[in-house]
Amino acid sequence: MRLDEGEQITKTPPHSHSRERFVATHLEQISDESKTALTLSESHSSPRDDYFAIVARATNDAVRDWNVKSGALSWPQGFDSLLGYDGSSTECDIGFWQKNVHPGDCARIAPSIRDALVGTSAHWSGEYRFRRADGTYINVLERSLILRAADGTPERLIGSLMDVTARKQLQDQLCRSQKMEAFGQLAGGVAHDFNNFLTTILGYGDLLLHERQIKGTLADHVTEIRAAAARASALTQQLLAFSRRQPLEPVIVEVNSIITNLERSLLRLIGENISVVCHLHHEKEGAHIKADPSQITQIILNLAVNARDAMPTGGQLTLETAIVDLTKETESPFQCGDFVPGEYVLINISDTGIGMNDEAKVHLFEPFFTTKADRERSGLGLATCYGIVHQSGGHLRVESEQGKGTTVQIYLPRVPAPPPPSYKRPTGKKPRGGTET
Ligand SMILES: Nc1ncnc2c1ncn2[C@@H]1O[C@H](COP(=O)(O)OP(=O)(O)OP(=O)(O)O)[C@@H](O)[C@H]1O
Ligand SMILES: [Mg+2]
C-alpha cells in the first residue's frame, strides 16, 4: 500500500486498530523495496516516499510477520542482513522461528507469547537468543504488535528483532565484575576478623601444649584443636588472597624462570599418566612481570591440580608463555576488572580433560564453587588465582569445552627488564691503609 498523492501520514488515526494496520501494511512493503537499494538522495527526493518503511530500515532490525491463524511467517526485513539467511529460503512458517530460538529460552518465551495472544494485549516484547544462519546465536530484543480481529482473536504478530548482543555482553560483564567485587568485600571482611580469632586459638593452643600438666590424651585433643585452627587459618589466607587483601611481595621476574623453577613440583603433583609439554617464549630481552613469584607459582600449581583432576584417565598438560600486544585494544578483552591497554605476558595452561559445563563456566571464580565431591576441596583454588592475578594488575581468561579440555590464560602486565646488576672491575690497587685479614 502506498499513500495516495497528497495524503499526509499524520492523517492516520493515532491510537486505533487502523493505525496498527497502517504500520503493518507499510512494513510489508519493505520486503519488496529491500530488493532495490534505496539511496539517500531518493529518500530525500520525495517526501511521499514510504516514511515507515525507511524508518524500519534505518533501525537495522529484522522484522518478522507471523500469521497466527495459518502459521505462515515472512521476514519483511533483516532475514539476510541481520540473521544471515538466504532471502530465497523456503522456510516460511512459524516452525522455523521456533526451531531457531535458543532451547534455553524457548520455555520462557513461548508461554509468554501465548499469554499475550490469548489476552487482550496489543503488544508483546521479550529478549531471547536466536540462531543465525552460521549457527551462532545473537541476543535479540523483540518488540511486537498483535493485530486482532474485531472479536479480539489474534490474527498477526509483527515483531521487530533488535540485535542487543553487544549490550547484553557489556551488561553481563558489569554484573560479573560487581558480583566478584561484592564477594571479595564480604569474603575479605569475614576472613580478616576470623583470622584474628584463629590467631588467639592458635596462640592459646601453643601455650597449653607447653604446659607440663598437659600430657597424653589431653595433649592429643589440644593438638587436634590446634591443627583444625591452622587449617582454618590457611583457608582464611585463601579468602584474603581472593579479596586482594593478602600482602604481596612483588619483584621483577622473568616468566620462563618461574615455569622452569616449578617443573619438579609440577611433575610430582600431576602423576605419571599425564604428559607435560612446555612451549616457552624465545623473546631475546625476556618477558618480565612485576609480581610475587611465590604467589604466581601457587597459581600455576593450583591450575595444574585442576588440570590433573580433569584428566583422571590421563592426558596432556601444556604450559606456554608468550608476549601479547594489547596496546591497541580499546575495549577490554576480559570479563572482569579494569583493563589497561599495553603489552602483557601470557601464561597459558591447557589440559585435554573433561572440560566444563555452562554452569561451571559462570561460577568458577566464585569462592567455594566446586563440582568435586572430595571433602578436602574448598572450591577456593580459582578464587585465589583470581584475587592474586587481579591484585598484580592482570587478568584471567578461561576457555573450556566439554569432552575436549580447558585452557586457562593468565595475563600479567609486561614490565621492562631490570637493569643488569652493577659490576665493578677490580682496580688492582690495594686499598690505602688497609690490611688483609
Ligand atoms: N581444568 C579444569 N577442567 C575442568 N573443570 C575445571 C577445571 N578447572 C576448574 N574446573 C571447575 O571449576 C571448579 C572450581 O575450581 P577451583 O579450583 O576453584 O575449586 P576446586 O578445584 O573444586 O577445589 P580446590 O581448588 O579448592 O581444591 C572445579 O570444581 C571444576 O568444576
Ligand atoms: Mg582447584
Side-chain angles (χ1 to χ4, degrees), residues 225-378:
I225 293 172
R226 219 202 148 280
R231 280 202 299 276
S233 177
L235 210 76
T236 54
Q237 287 309 319
Q238 281 181 285
L239 277 178
L240 285 172
F242 166 67
S243 60
R244 289 173 262 161
R245 291 204 196 177
Q246 199 187 38
L248 296 183
E249 288 172 27
V251 289
I252 297 180
V253 269
E254 211 292 318
V255 71
N256 285 356
S257 69
I258 298 183
I259 306 278
T260 37
N261 282 346
L262 59 76
E263 211 173 315
R264 260 193 204 191
S265 2
L266 203 71
L267 290 173
R268 210 176 318 123
L269 208 74
I270 58 167
E272 280 168 5
N273 58 351
I274 295 172
S275 56
V276 182
V277 177
C278 280
H279 297 297
L280 303 183
H281 76 83
H282 295 296
E283 197 71 20
K284 255 203 222 137
E285 317 91 87
H288 293 84
I289 52 173
K290 188 165 186 203
D292 186 329
S294 66
Q295 297 297 331
I296 301 294
T297 305
Q298 186 56 50
I299 293 177
I300 298 172
L301 291 178
N302 277 2
L303 297 176
V305 171
N306 280 352
R308 180 200 64 192
D309 296 344
M311 299 186 283
T313 53
Q316 183 176 303
L317 173 73
T318 310
L319 292 167
E320 279 171 87
T321 59
I323 293 169
V324 183
D325 189 359
L326 300 179
T327 318
K328 294 201 178 96
E329 296 290 319
T330 46
E331 279 179 25
S332 174
F334 308 107
Q335 287 191 343
C336 291
D338 296 332
F339 166 66
V340 181
E343 275 197 326
Y344 282 80
V345 174
L346 170 68
I347 307 172
N348 237 8
I349 294 150
S350 355
D351 64 62
T352 53
I354 53 173
M356 295 179 209
N357 60 19
D358 286 344
E359 209 220 334
K361 281 189 211 169
V362 171
H363 300 290
L364 78 173
F365 292 124
E366 292 170 14
F368 304 114
F369 173 79
T370 181
T371 55
K372 299 171 191 170
D374 198 339
R375 260 191 71 232
E376 294 293 302
R377 301 318 185 100
S378 56

Side-chain angles (χ1 to χ4, degrees), residues 56-77:
R57 205 171 308 149
T59 64
N60 224 2
D61 294 353
V63 177
R64 70 169 176 135
D65 185 349
W66 169 31
N67 186 320
V68 180
K69 275 190 188 157
S70 69
L73 176 74
S74 64
W75 294 87
Q77 179 174 293

Side-chain angles (χ1 to χ4, degrees), residues 241-242 298-300 302-303 306 365 380-391 396 410:
F242 166 67
Q298 186 56 50
I299 293 177
I300 298 172
N302 277 2
L303 297 176
N306 280 352
F365 292 124
L380 279 170
L382 284 177
T384 319
C385 297
Y386 178 92
I388 297 170
V389 170
H390 280 260
Q391 199 175 346
L396 274 170
I410 306 168

